[in-house]
Amino acid sequence: MNPTLKKPRESVDLSELTQSTFPDEVLEKVLSLVQSHKDRNSASLVCKDWYNAERWTRTKLFIGNCYSVSPEIVARRFPKIKSVTLKGKPRFSDFNLVPENWGADIQAWLDVFAKVYPFLEELRLKRMAVSDESLEFLAKSFHGFKVLSLLSCDGFSTDGISSIAAHCKSLTELDIQENGMDDISGSWLSCFPDDFASLEVLNFASLNSEISIDALERLVSRCKSLRVLKVNKNVTLSQLQRLLVRAPQLIELGTGCFLPDLTSRQYAELESAFSNCKNLHTISGLWEATYRYLPVLYAACASLTFLNLSYATIRSGEFLKLLAHCPSLRRLWVFDTVKDEGLEAVGTSCPLLEELRVFPADPFEEDIVHGVTESGFVAVSAGCPKLQYVLYFCRQMTNAAVATIVRNCPDFTHFRLCIMNPGQPDYMTNEPMDEAFGAVVKTCKKLQRLSVSGLLTDLTFEYIGRYAKNLETLSVAFAGRSDWGMQCVLEGCSKLRKLEIRDCPFGNAALLSGLEKYESMRCLWMSACSVTMNGCRLLAQERPRLNVEVIKDENSDDSADKLYVYRSVAGPRRDAPPFVVTL
Amino acid sequence: MSVPLEHDYIGLSETSLMEKSSDKISSSSSSSSSSVLNLKETELRLGLPGSESVGVSLFGKDLEDKNLGFNSLSNFTSRTKRGFSDAIDASGKWDLSINCRSEADGEKQNLLFSPKRSVEEKKSVNASHTSKTQVVGWPPVRSFRKNTLATKKNEAEGKTGSSNCLYVKVSMDGAPYLRKVDIKTYSNYADLSSALEKMFSCFSIGQCASDGLPGQEELSETHLMDLLNGSEYVLTYEDKDGDWMLVGDVPWEMFTDSCKRLRIMKSSEAIGLAPRAINKSKNQN
């Protein structure tokens, strides 16, 4: 603000005019209302005052790559953090492409947080290495700790969860999902103190151990604010009924095993328990669900917006009947055992659908010729024009079908198509699937995330580079012909943040064409491509602010088997295991 | 820069591929080039008998289709039996059978092959391989989900051996021969008992009340007892442990999982198994 332009008021001191128009308190008050970390990052760049006001008012920290910054740097900049979200390993570690003990250990962070943020309340971790000792440390160091969410993490066991249950007296959320953990026993549930009543979210659906159903019942009875309860498959239907009558206020329910074991009276009781749950928006679990007991759900399905059947291999017949009761569905996750007929029913019954995920029931079977095909996808697109997010595993696809799909649903933001046979062409024309993904990027202007598959030449990537201007995440496997493909993407996709590539013929020329690009991205992963150590060294030399890490296979040649490149203000990793070579 | 061969599953590398494939295509279409013929002996094909030049390779790619620049014929010929199928093994399986289904194309070149056939041949190929390349992490299914599916499959297969049907022998005391039923085709005890009744009616299983049977588990179990109570027979089964059990005690699913064979036993022999049945039959006799 230029003081000479502003007409000074009479009693004002000239020196005041050199400061920001707003006093700090006002600026901080305004900025504290800004929630999105992206907006906050932008605000912090405006000027020094805004930077300071922002850092004093930020309470939620989101770190998409734990190695892009160090705990010390974070602690110096943000003094008042209450909630931390941390993501660690590259996404391909979910598919066993990253060796064990790669890193992303939470302990280094906890050590710093314990000193600087003793009032930390929330920790949400994804793909981090977490030990039982870390969990115990966490439970004992942060007295007001409320929220723990562990997704796709590994290294801990139910003993660590016991520490959390026993020591976190203010816990409101315990969300353990899909981790590589040791399921020793279900005794952790019994570690909650008898007077503990603050739980709002409890998700232990992916644990296998048996918990004490009595302890769970008592816990559920005490926690009047419980809104999310997802039990594991050892909880039977009759036990579920007893839980439901104690928690009719639930908004999200993950059932246990749906195997028949009820008398007719118990069946009626379960049905009535479900119909009393008037607020249910999400149902999941449903292990072993068959036609026999699915009808108990019907009464609760009227307001259902998210149905997660991705652990229930139900057939199209019972699926159709269930769907008829779910007109308000916005998100649906199913197995491909529902087949195309099931998906046709989705098209007719769920006009509000925004997200569809179809998982393969037999992804590794050679001689299975079922599952879903392109016609199921087309059928859904015809009936659900509001589709934005799709994840679709199939064994056959055509360019024409995809073109039809995106014509029906131009609002896709996430399009993840996995034709399970690598490099498979359009099965009707035998051509590459280039035109399919061309149609996707040309039609779906809002596309943020894309996963491609099937037989693809460089043309696909030309299309992506030319049209996918909002693309942020791209996953490529067994595709492309030459460096040109990757170059097109790096040059054209201005908003690209995450690029993960495996088994493609992209080499050093492609890698180095992105020299200008990588610092504006979160990360690049290339495995089983044609990149060599020399190429990686060159990249590392030219861009010292990038961490260029290579994991080599056992052969001694020059190929860089697994390359992981990411920007960092923390410098090279200090905790890299021997198999990770930082260049 | 050459793509490492073992990653070139389906002939993605263009340069080396194009030369070879154009050679091979011309040679195979003339069906007289020795460069292809000498490998034809070893190459597994699904062509019609008598057509030596035409056919679809086991690996699902159309040998004759010149449009395919990515024709992976060179894969086969340059590495004989290595190539596409190498990349498949027990854990990294792909479904090849869909690969080359061009229904509209009636030309000799594009042969439709039934998935079953390709599977059989593929299995023999796989059996003959000792070294295969695993495709780690494909399809991209998260480890957790993959493990859950594997456990589910093992449980299912461990129990029944096949998830689609379960034939068990049914013997009846006094009948000259046994029958076999697929207990998976029934969904509750009532269905099973009425089917057995029809099957063995020629051996006079007795008067069975065939009024409406309720669909609920518990009631149908006692009803089965009622059915057979009117006769001199009791329905029993041998479970996984080899013990003879009375049919109807456990939920239907548990029964189908553990039943190895059925026996329609004379109630006079059923001492200790179904006292109620014995009493009733005694009363009625």
Side-chain angles (χ1 to χ4, degrees):
Chain A
M1 176 96 202
N2 190 339
T4 57
L5 288 179
K6 180 174 174 173
K7 204 171 159 185
R9 281 173 285 145
E10 275 153 37
S11 54
V12 110
D13 192 326
L14 252 182
S15 60
E16 278 180 39
L17 295 174
T18 61
Q19 291 165 12
S20 160
T21 333
F22 298 117
D24 285 342
E25 305 84 56
V26 176
L27 192 54
E28 282 180 19
K29 184 73 186 164
V30 171
L31 283 178
S32 64
L33 299 172
V34 178
Q35 295 295 332
S36 143
H37 68 272
K38 287 187 186 164
D39 290 341
R40 282 186 157 268
N41 292 345
S42 308
S44 68
L45 296 174
V46 169
C47 64
K48 264 206 168 151
D49 284 337
W50 281 49
Y51 177 89
N52 279 322
E54 194 281 309
R55 59 180 272 264
W56 278 97
T57 54
R58 192 185 290 223
T59 56
K60 288 198 173 119
L61 197 59
F62 174 83
I63 299 174
N65 174 4
C66 65
Y67 286 117
S68 63
V69 74
S70 74
E72 291 81 14
I73 295 176
V74 165
R76 265 202 306 270
R77 179 168 168 189
F78 298 111
K80 293 220 176 142
I81 296 296
K82 290 253 172 82
S83 157
V84 176
T85 302
L86 262 177
K87 296 189 184 178
K89 299 182 211 167
R91 195 178 76 94
F92 278 178
S93 71
D94 281 346
F95 316 126
N96 296 333
L97 287 183
V98 175
E100 286 196 20
N101 302 319
W102 179 85
D105 196 306
I106 189 61
Q107 189 59 46
W109 293 84
L110 290 178
D111 287 333
V112 172
F113 290 164
K115 284 187 230 136
V116 183
Y117 308 132
F119 302 114
L120 187 69
E121 291 177 356
E122 301 184 4
L123 192 61
R124 299 175 202 274
L125 304 178
K126 189 170 185 182
R127 291 189 206 104
M128 299 285 295
V130 181
S131 67
D132 285 342
E133 291 73 32
S134 294
L135 287 175
E136 196 182 342
F137 181 81
L138 168 66
K140 291 183 176 164
S141 310
F142 303 99
H143 298 288
F145 195 72
K146 291 189 178 162
V147 170
L148 179 64
S149 167
L150 299 171
L151 173 58
S152 218
C153 298
D154 65 283
F156 63 101
S157 77
T158 39
D159 290 346
I161 308 298
S162 300
S163 311
I164 300 285
H167 299 287
C168 297
K169 310 260 184 283
S170 316
L171 199 69
T172 61
E173 188 170 322
L174 182 60
D175 186 4
I176 321 283
Q177 275 191 64
E178 301 196 354
N179 299 289
M181 59 181 286
D182 271 331
D183 217 331
I184 301 176
S185 91
S187 56
W188 58 270
L189 187 77
S190 312
C191 291
F192 284 111
D194 288 330
D195 58 349
F196 172 73
S198 50
L199 210 56
E200 296 170 24
V201 173
L202 179 62
N203 178 0
F204 63 97
S206 56
L207 295 183
N208 286 325
S209 44
E210 300 244 7
I211 44 108
S212 152
I213 192 65
D214 289 329
L216 181 57
E217 265 185 54
R218 278 180 273 125
L219 182 65
V220 168
S221 301
R222 288 198 306 268
C223 298
K224 304 285 179 219
S225 310
L226 193 68
R227 49 189 169 82
V228 174
L229 177 64
K230 297 185 181 175
V231 301
N232 70 10
K233 57 170 138 63
N234 293 322
V235 173
T236 67
L237 277 177
S238 46
Q239 291 168 342
L240 180 68
Q241 187 265 336
R242 288 176 6 224
L243 294 170
L244 281 181
V245 298
R246 286 165 175 76
Q249 76 281 5
L250 281 180
I251 296 179
E252 295 184 25
L253 172 69
T255 75
C257 186
F258 241 61
L259 264 183
D261 69 342
L262 299 179
T263 64
S264 46
R265 187 173 53 93
Q266 285 173 320
Y267 181 100
E269 284 173 354
L270 181 63
E271 212 176 13
S272 130
F274 266 108
S275 59
N276 280 333
C277 294
K278 310 250 185 269
N279 299 319
L280 270 185
H281 285 175
T282 299
I283 292 184
S284 60
L286 298 170
W287 280 278
E288 315 288 349
T290 63
Y291 67 93
R292 171 150 291 131
Y293 287 145
L294 276 178
V296 302
L297 296 177
Y298 291 169
C301 287
S303 52
L304 209 60
T305 57
F306 180 18
L307 182 59
N308 181 352
L309 296 168
S310 66
Y311 286 102
T313 48
I314 72 175
R315 302 287 149 94
S316 44
E318 48 240 14
F319 180 56
L320 257 63
K321 293 201 199 103
L322 178 58
L323 268 189
H325 290 87
C326 307
S328 319
L329 220 50
R330 287 179 211 282
R331 298 173 67 194
L332 176 63
W333 295 16
V334 282
F335 264 129
D336 60 2
T337 47
V338 302
K339 299 203 186 165
D340 289 334
E341 332 159 58
L343 294 181
E344 280 159 25
V346 173
T348 44
S349 312
C350 308
L352 302 176
L353 199 69
E354 294 169 4
E355 176 178 328
L356 174 69
R357 300 194 197 199
V358 180
F359 294 95
D362 275 309
F364 308 111
E365 272 301 313
E366 308 176 347
D367 34 2
I368 302 286
V369 187
H370 54 226
V372 291
T373 71
E374 77 281 8
S375 41
F377 198 170
V378 171
V380 176
S381 73
C384 309
K386 297 191 177 186
L387 263 189
Q388 291 171 16
Y389 191 120
V390 88
L391 168 63
Y392 200 80
F393 282 85
C394 58
R395 290 187 166 89
Q396 64 188 57
M397 188 51 64
T398 66
N399 289 309
V402 177
T404 308
I405 289 162
V406 293
R407 224 177 7 249
N408 292 336
C409 304
D411 294 333
F412 274 120
T413 55
H414 296 68
F415 193 90
R416 301 166 63 187
L417 175 62
C418 180
I419 303 167
M420 286 192 269
N421 198 357
Q424 181 173 303
D426 178 320
Y427 80 97
M428 291 197 65
T429 64
N430 258 328
E431 285 172 359
M433 297 295 296
D434 295 333
E435 294 307 319
F437 293 105
V440 173
V441 294
K442 284 178 204 168
T443 317
C444 305
K445 307 264 185 259
K446 304 183 211 166
L447 195 70
Q448 291 168 23
R449 181 169 180 186
L450 180 64
S451 298
V452 298
S453 60
L455 183 68
L456 301 174
T457 70
D458 289 340
L459 184 55
T460 300
F461 302 104
E462 276 185 43
Y463 285 142
I464 294 176
R466 205 181 314 158
Y467 296 102
K469 292 307 178 187
N470 284 316
L471 193 66
E472 296 179 12
T473 305
L474 179 62
S475 307
V476 186
F478 305 102
R481 292 293 181 75
S482 71
D483 291 334
W484 170 242
M486 185 170 161
Q487 281 172 268
C488 287
V489 171
L490 288 169
E491 273 170 53
C493 297
S494 40
K495 292 198 183 171
L496 193 66
R497 290 189 303 118
K498 290 179 271 187
L499 181 56
E500 41 185 34
I501 303 174
R502 62 165 291 181
D503 294 273
C504 296
F506 303 137
N508 291 340
L511 177 67
L512 294 169
S513 72
L515 272 181
E516 309 295 321
K517 182 93 183 148
Y518 300 131
E519 279 181 29
S520 66
M521 289 169 56
R522 184 190 291 177
C523 62
L524 165 72
W525 169 279
M526 287 178 78
S527 61
C529 297
S530 308
V531 177
T532 70
M533 296 297 286
N534 270 334
C536 298
R537 273 184 215 112
L538 203 54
L539 175 62
Q541 273 167 22
E542 292 294 317
R543 287 287 178 269
R545 283 195 301 202
L546 294 176
N547 280 357
V548 178
E549 298 174 3
V550 176
I551 299 171
K552 278 188 66 58
D553 290 343
E554 266 128 41
N555 52 32
S556 54
D557 66 9
D558 198 34
S559 58
D561 303 295
K562 292 178 180 154
L563 171 66
Y564 187 46
V565 179
Y566 56 93
R567 63 182 176 189
S568 176
V569 295
R573 281 176 60 177
R574 278 163 291 173
D575 63 348
F579 57 82
V580 173
V581 176
T582 307
L583 299 171
Chain B
M1 163 168 332
S2 63
V3 178
L5 275 184
E6 50 269 52
H7 293 134
D8 190 12
Y9 301 116
I10 30 185
L12 288 177
S13 100
E14 197 169 51
T15 47
S16 54
L17 193 54
M18 289 307 284
E19 305 151 21
K20 287 182 188 172
S21 64
S22 50
D23 284 346
K24 298 312 171 196
I25 288 173
S26 52
S27 62
S28 55
S29 58
S30 68
S31 74
S32 59
S33 160
S34 55
S35 58
V36 176
L37 278 177
N38 63 359
L39 292 160
K40 270 197 172 158
E41 314 303 305
T42 53
E43 192 174 314
L44 286 166
R45 319 163 64 102
L46 291 171
L48 293 171
S51 65
E52 60 293 74
S53 62
V54 179
V56 180
S57 150
L58 170 67
F59 305 106
K61 294 290 183 204
D62 190 339
L63 301 176
E64 298 302 306
D65 190 347
K66 296 178 179 60
N67 291 333
L68 301 179
F70 43 83
N71 190 313
S72 46
L73 182 52
S74 71
N75 270 10
F76 320 137
T77 52
S78 61
R79 287 175 272 134
T80 60
K81 285 195 172 168
R82 281 183 60 84
F84 207 42
S85 74
D86 297 353
I88 313 151
D89 83 342
S91 59
K93 288 178 185 161
W94 304 327
D95 180 20
L96 283 183
S97 49
I98 310 289
N99 247 352
C100 199
R101 197 187 302 159
S102 353
E103 283 130 4
D105 194 337
E107 283 179 75
K108 235 167 63 165
Q109 296 165 197
N110 301 325
L111 279 180
L112 290 175
F113 58 97
S114 70
K116 194 155 166 289
R117 269 190 79 193
S118 78
V119 156
E120 287 163 16
E121 299 209 33
K122 203 192 309 162
K123 277 187 176 151
S124 61
V125 171
N126 283 345
S128 65
H129 283 198
T130 45
S131 66
K132 287 186 200 149
T133 324
Q134 269 199 1
V135 186
V136 179
W138 190 265
V141 175
R142 272 214 196 137
S143 321
F144 176 81
R145 185 175 287 279
K146 196 166 65 174
N147 294 338
T148 314
L149 288 175
T151 340
K152 207 192 286 205
K153 251 178 66 129
N154 288 340
E155 283 170 13
E157 281 174 5
K159 284 173 184 169
T160 66
S162 129
S163 37
N164 291 326
C165 65
L166 183 59
Y167 278 95
V168 296
K169 284 185 193 169
V170 187
S171 61
M172 177 166 161
D173 290 359
Y177 49 81
L178 280 63
R179 301 294 301 268
K180 257 200 162 169
V181 290
D182 177 359
I183 55 180
K184 286 279 184 187
T185 59
Y186 311 111
S187 45
N188 54 46
Y189 288 113
D191 294 344
L192 174 67
S193 76
S194 57
L196 288 180
E197 170 201 339
K198 291 197 191 91
M199 224 182 238
F200 285 92
S201 57
C202 51
F203 306 123
S204 67
I205 198 170
Q207 246 79 354
C208 293
S210 47
D211 35 75
L213 299 166
Q216 303 294 339
E217 286 292 281
E218 192 194 36
L219 296 175
S220 66
E221 288 151 22
T222 51
H223 232 268
L224 177 63
M225 294 304 101
D226 290 336
L227 281 179
L228 293 174
N229 281 345
S231 74
E232 341 156 3
Y233 292 96
V234 167
L235 186 58
T236 62
Y237 71 102
E238 184 184 11
D239 75 354
K240 273 194 230 178
D241 304 324
D243 298 320
W244 284 97
M245 321 278 289
L246 185 66
V247 166
D249 286 331
V250 298
W252 175 255
E253 261 74 8
M254 206 184 288
F255 167 71
T256 55
D257 287 340
S258 53
C259 173
K260 301 300 268 291
R261 55 185 300 177
L262 286 161
R263 179 179 166 197
I264 304 174
M265 193 186 272
K266 278 215 171 85
S267 44
S268 50
E269 284 191 38
I271 298 165
L273 269 186
R276 203 171 26 149
I278 295 172
N279 287 336
K280 278 203 182 150
S281 64
K282 276 189 186 157
N283 290 341
Q284 280 170 11
N285 281 346

